[in-house]
Amino acid sequence: MQKILVAEDSELNRELLCEILKEEYVVETAGDGRQALETLALHTGETAAVLLDLHMPKLDGFAVLKEMRKKGWLGRIPVLVISSEPAVAVENQCFDLGVSDFIHKPFESSIVKNRVRNAIELFTCKNQLEQKVEEQAQKLERQYEIIQRQAKKLREAKPFNRLMTEYTSAIMEVETKLKVLNAEFSQEYNRNPFESIKTRLKSPESISEKLERKGFPFTVESIQENLTDVAGVRVICSFPDDIYRLADLLTGQDDIVLIRKKDYIQNPKPNGYRSLHLILSVPIFLSNEKKYMNVEVQFRTIAMDFWASLEHKLKYKRNVNEADEIVSQLKMCADSIERLDYQMQEIRNRIDRSRC
């Protein structure tokens, strides 16, 4: 049975509370604040709850609460104040000190039992949750340390640096092909199919984290075989139809191999994310060989890219207030952006037709 401490200077009240609680708990008693603290010091780990009177000799309830807070006991043991005072100010003062609940005199048996039981259950759940959070934090810290060590090894490994050079070369190949198409469009149609190109190479930390998370071997060969997004190119277009036209022209080139296509424009993710993803196998020409490398190419409109940037900040920023509401608003914005993209595209088409 769980142990409860009743700290109350009235012997009659102590006996009443013992009688109410004895069937469910082992009840210890203290007649003053000093005795209560001495009992707690001996049985801190065994005490499930404290019922504390505010007006006691030697040390009053407020002094006991302050000492419990100082020793860190209030974080582990729920305290229910025994009080006959209805004053709101007194209750607020107690809550500020960390009290869980109040039991008002005269005692009602069912209320005493329920409030004690609820306070213990809530504290048990809270402590279990805090323990799980602490264990998870320690696990993440260990994983982070492993990833940092692995990333350091990667940076120092010559085969890894050679591989990163090859991925960089593949990025340049895709970028060059896109710029050639852009120049041709500009000459042929007097407009550009895209606004800008952004490129990125995964960092050693990011590569290590993904290998760890996916359970893949930590080798250069594993990176090439299992990761398709080490090299990335993002193409920002003005209109949705430019995305598909440009993607078709790029994948239609005879030295490009389309590995995988995910169309999040026609089939957006549940949160509203929209983009066209292609995994391409691209040839690079080294001093002694021709080699194919994987490159992830993402196509977005300007509005899609702006939305994705904002959603990314929400995803990786902790402790965001009203996160659920922000997610809902982002989904509404994504729907509005989709309508706006196609409305702007229709306006452009009308302008183009008027020139014919």
Side-chain angles (χ1 to χ4, degrees):
M1 293 173 72
Q2 293 175 304
K3 184 177 290 186
I4 286 180
L5 173 62
V6 174
E8 161 70 70
D9 63 338
S10 167
E11 184 176 353
L12 177 60
N13 285 335
R14 290 200 302 271
E15 290 178 355
L16 282 172
L17 290 169
C18 286
E19 187 65 25
I20 292 170
L21 297 168
K22 68 180 183 180
E23 292 183 2
E24 297 182 47
Y25 308 98
V26 175
V27 183
E28 297 281 344
T29 61
D32 60 62
R34 188 168 295 165
Q35 186 183 0
L37 289 174
E38 290 171 356
T39 304
L40 275 174
L42 292 173
H43 306 288
T44 305
E46 307 164 32
T47 304
V50 175
L51 277 63
L52 180 68
D53 187 19
L54 292 178
H55 302 293
M56 294 184 294
K58 297 184 181 179
L59 286 176
D60 65 14
F62 292 110
V64 172
L65 285 171
K66 289 176 182 177
E67 189 64 21
M68 288 183 68
R69 173 187 261 185
K70 181 179 177 182
K71 293 181 180 296
W73 295 343
L74 277 178
R76 302 195 299 272
I77 306 171
V79 175
L80 297 91
V81 167
I82 305 167
S83 174
S84 57
E85 297 188 27
V88 174
V90 173
E91 292 199 6
N92 283 334
Q93 185 179 358
C94 291
F95 282 127
D96 288 342
L97 288 170
V99 165
S100 295
D101 205 347
F102 279 78
I103 297 176
H104 292 283
K105 304 173 186 176
F107 303 127
E108 169 58 44
S109 176
S110 61
I111 291 177
V112 171
K113 289 181 179 179
N114 284 325
R115 293 201 174 185
V116 171
R117 188 182 302 115
N118 290 343
I120 292 173
E121 288 177 356
L122 284 172
F123 248 69
T124 300
C125 291
K126 168 181 167 288
N127 291 336
Q128 289 174 347
L129 180 60
E130 287 177 349
Q131 183 178 353
K132 287 181 180 179
V133 169
E134 178 62 26
E135 290 172 356
Q136 186 65 22
Q138 291 175 358
K139 181 180 178 181
L140 290 173
E141 182 64 27
R142 289 193 296 270
Q143 288 178 340
Y144 177 77
E145 291 173 358
I146 292 170
I147 288 168
Q148 290 299 310
R149 288 197 297 269
Q150 291 174 336
K152 185 172 184 286
K153 289 180 181 179
L154 281 179
R155 282 196 179 92
E156 296 171 351
K158 190 173 181 180
F160 173 78
N161 290 314
R162 185 185 304 116
L163 180 64
M164 292 302 101
T165 300
E166 292 171 355
Y167 276 121
T168 301
S169 300
I171 288 173
M172 289 191 291
E173 288 286 343
V174 173
E175 196 172 9
T176 299
K177 288 177 177 294
L178 288 167
K179 286 180 177 178
V180 169
L181 289 172
N182 196 47
E184 181 185 359
F185 256 71
S186 180
Q187 181 69 32
E188 188 74 21
Y189 303 106
N190 198 30
R191 70 180 186 86
N192 304 101
F194 63 83
E195 297 291 327
S196 63
I197 299 176
K198 301 175 184 178
T199 64
R200 68 106 182 94
L201 193 66
K202 262 189 183 301
S203 67
E205 288 81 5
S206 184
I207 291 171
S208 301
E209 186 277 331
K210 192 161 188 178
L211 289 174
E212 180 80 15
R213 175 162 46 87
K214 298 287 188 180
F216 295 133
F218 191 74
T219 63
V220 168
E221 292 75 19
S222 177
I223 294 171
Q224 281 190 275
E225 291 173 8
N226 299 308
L227 303 186
T228 57
D229 60 348
V230 175
V233 176
R234 186 180 304 155
V235 187
I236 312 302
C237 300
S238 297
F239 306 101
D241 63 356
D242 285 336
I243 288 176
Y244 292 105
R245 183 179 295 111
L246 196 56
D248 287 343
L249 289 171
L250 183 62
T251 56
Q253 297 189 10
D254 58 12
D255 58 349
I256 294 281
V257 179
L258 176 62
I259 304 297
R260 188 166 65 246
K261 176 180 179 180
K262 290 187 177 180
D263 191 343
Y264 296 115
I265 299 175
Q266 297 298 322
N267 303 288
K269 290 185 178 181
N271 66 349
Y273 174 84
R274 295 164 62 236
S275 182
L276 178 65
H277 290 200
L278 305 179
I279 302 298
L280 305 179
S281 184
V282 181
I284 61 170
F285 301 88
L286 305 173
S287 60
N288 59 347
E289 65 174 326
K290 173 184 175 182
K291 185 175 182 179
Y292 276 82
M293 304 295 295
N294 287 339
V295 180
E296 181 186 57
V297 184
Q298 297 179 1
F299 293 89
R300 300 173 183 169
T301 64
I302 298 170
M304 292 177 198
D305 191 57
F306 178 68
W307 184 95
S309 175
L310 190 59
E311 192 270 343
H312 181 83
K313 290 178 182 178
L314 173 65
K315 185 176 179 180
Y316 290 97
K317 189 176 180 63
R318 296 179 179 178
N319 302 320
V320 177
N321 294 328
E322 300 177 338
D324 290 342
E325 183 180 346
I326 293 173
V327 168
S328 177
Q329 289 180 343
L330 274 172
K331 177 61 170 66
M332 291 172 60
C333 287
D335 295 338
S336 298
I337 284 171
E338 180 177 20
R339 290 192 296 271
L340 181 62
D341 271 338
Y342 285 102
Q343 285 172 356
M344 295 293 286
Q345 179 175 287
E346 178 57 29
I347 291 171
R348 184 213 61 190
N349 291 341
R350 290 175 63 184
I351 293 172
D352 288 345
R353 287 194 296 268
S354 69
R355 290 175 178 170
C356 298

